[in-house]
Each structure stands twice: as structure tokens, then as C-alpha cells.
Amino acid sequence: MELHHEFTVPVPVDDAWPALLDIERVAPCLPGATVEEYDGRTVTGSVKVKVGPVTVTYRGKAVFEERDEAARRMVLAASGRETRGQGTARATVTATLGERDGGTAVSVRTDLTVTGRPAQFGRGVLAEVGERLIGRFAACLSEQLTRPPEAAGESGAAGGISATGAAGETVAAGAPQAVRRSGAPPDEPLDLLRTAGLPVAKRAAAVLAGAVVLGLLAARIRARRRA
């Protein structure tokens, strides 16, 4: 499925462009995501998604396939697999930046393929969830970009993320970096139902209920056949 979202940040495009490429900086703005390593092109990590009472963890990689500074366009290809299941997720994300009223407008197109439990929601629910997540991400990024340098430095030291080696030393530029988020609980999953809001959650709950009923019927049929 293809999803399209747009958000704005209150800084010039020359400031927004490097900020969006700074994985260590934007990682805390991504709900449910934990970045484990970043070598300047490839990001390795995981995403936890909560669907009702079930939490699904996807582990995988994302690679910057394109970073065109002149066109202000970046392409990120990501793929992951459930750690305890057969579900998969693949996405190609294309973001384009442009000036708007002194700030920056970011257009995001996502070509998404999901299998497993989250796929039961369908395109409509996932699009609305994506819209809300983009809004939260934009608000978080805007706060970071407009924060005074002193406050940003203190936040990074006390509640941000850090890139360190095994002995706690700073990793040299260009080397793989282990990224740790110390400000937010790293195990807090992205709750799809809560993020979707009440109207969408009701529709999603109906989908989940239908899936449960079908599962119970299938179990009864198997039981009768065995008997």
C-alpha cells in the first residue's frame, strides 16, 4: 500500500535537512523504535508494536538509498521480521523537503508492505495511524530544532541518546555507532489502538474480534476432525 503524509517544521530547509539525516537526533521522536547501530548509511534496530493485548517486535535494517542534498530528497529502504512470528514489514520511504513561509514542508511517501497481525487493520486504519505518528514526530522534531543550544545540550546529556564504544568511549566519526536512548523507556511499544484514537480503534477492535472468532472456529473444526 502507498501512504502519503506531510508535515512542517519551523526552521529553514538548510537546518531541517541535516537534522532529518541525524539518526541519533531523531531516534527519540520515533515511537516504539530502538536504534542499535548506525554506520552512516545503514540503521540496525527494532520496532515494537502493540496490537490490543499482543506486542509484536520487528527487527531489521534501514538503508539510505539516496541522499540528494541539491534536490532535498532522501530515500530510505527498510525491512524487518517478527522476532516471534512469521510476520514481515517492508517500506520504501521517500521524503522531499521544500521551503514554506520561512519554514520547511516535508512530503513523505511510503510504499508499505506488512504481513502478520498489524496487516489485519487494512490501509485506512494504517493511514490514520501514520498521520498521527507523523504529527507526533513533527512536534518532537520542531521542539528539538527550536530549543536553545544550551537546553539541547543538557537534554542530550541527561535524557537523549548516546553513541559509545564498549568501554564507554566516544566512537570515531564514520564508525558503526551503538545508539542508546536513555530518556525514554526503550521497551515501550507503539500502541496502535491508542495511537489510532477512539473512532479508528473501534473499527480496529471489530477487525481483531473477527480474527479471534475465525481463529476459534478454525480450532473447533480441527478438533472435530481429530475426534
Side-chain angles (χ1 to χ4, degrees):
M1 69 185 75
E2 184 171 301
L3 307 174
H4 179 232
H5 302 94
E6 186 173 294
F7 66 93
T8 59
V9 288
V11 297
V13 68
D14 288 342
D15 295 332
W17 172 259
L20 285 172
L21 291 174
D22 188 345
I23 297 299
E24 289 85 353
R25 188 173 190 176
V26 302
C29 295
L30 301 171
T34 300
V35 179
E36 299 170 355
E37 189 175 287
Y38 176 53
D39 64 6
R41 182 171 183 268
T42 301
V43 185
T44 303
S46 62
V47 176
K48 286 189 176 183
V49 180
K50 186 178 181 183
V51 185
V54 180
T55 298
V56 180
T57 301
Y58 293 93
R59 290 185 58 85
K61 295 183 178 181
V63 180
F64 279 104
E65 293 190 336
E66 180 182 333
R67 283 178 286 194
D68 188 337
E69 185 172 0
R72 303 300 192 193
R73 181 176 185 271
M74 65 181 77
V75 179
L76 187 70
S79 62
R81 178 177 292 275
E82 285 185 37
T83 57
R84 295 183 180 180
Q86 301 300 316
T88 61
R90 296 195 311 276
T92 299
V93 182
T94 303
T96 307
L97 285 65
E99 293 281 0
R100 178 183 294 177
D101 300 327
T104 300
V106 184
S107 175
V108 182
R109 288 192 176 275
T110 305
D111 187 0
L112 176 66
T113 302
V114 180
T115 65
R117 296 180 186 88
Q120 298 170 355
F121 288 111
R123 184 188 184 284
V125 174
L126 290 178
E128 292 188 54
V129 170
E131 188 70 35
R132 291 174 182 269
L133 290 178
I134 288 290
R136 289 166 57 180
F137 174 81
C140 176
L141 183 63
S142 297
E143 181 184 356
Q144 287 197 12
L145 292 175
T146 56
R147 186 182 304 158
E150 295 80 4
E154 292 174 2
S155 174
I161 53 179
S162 61
T164 58
E169 299 177 353
T170 301
V171 178
Q177 300 177 5
V179 180
R180 183 184 70 253
R181 297 187 306 155
S182 56
D187 293 329
E188 183 178 350
L190 165 60
D191 191 327
L192 284 185
L193 295 185
R194 187 167 60 182
T195 301
L198 183 59
V200 180
K202 287 182 177 179
R203 300 205 307 269
V207 173
L208 288 175
V212 170
V213 171
L214 289 175
L216 292 174
L217 288 175
R220 285 188 176 183
I221 291 172
R222 287 197 298 267
R224 288 179 179 177
R225 287 178 177 176
R226 290 173 183 172

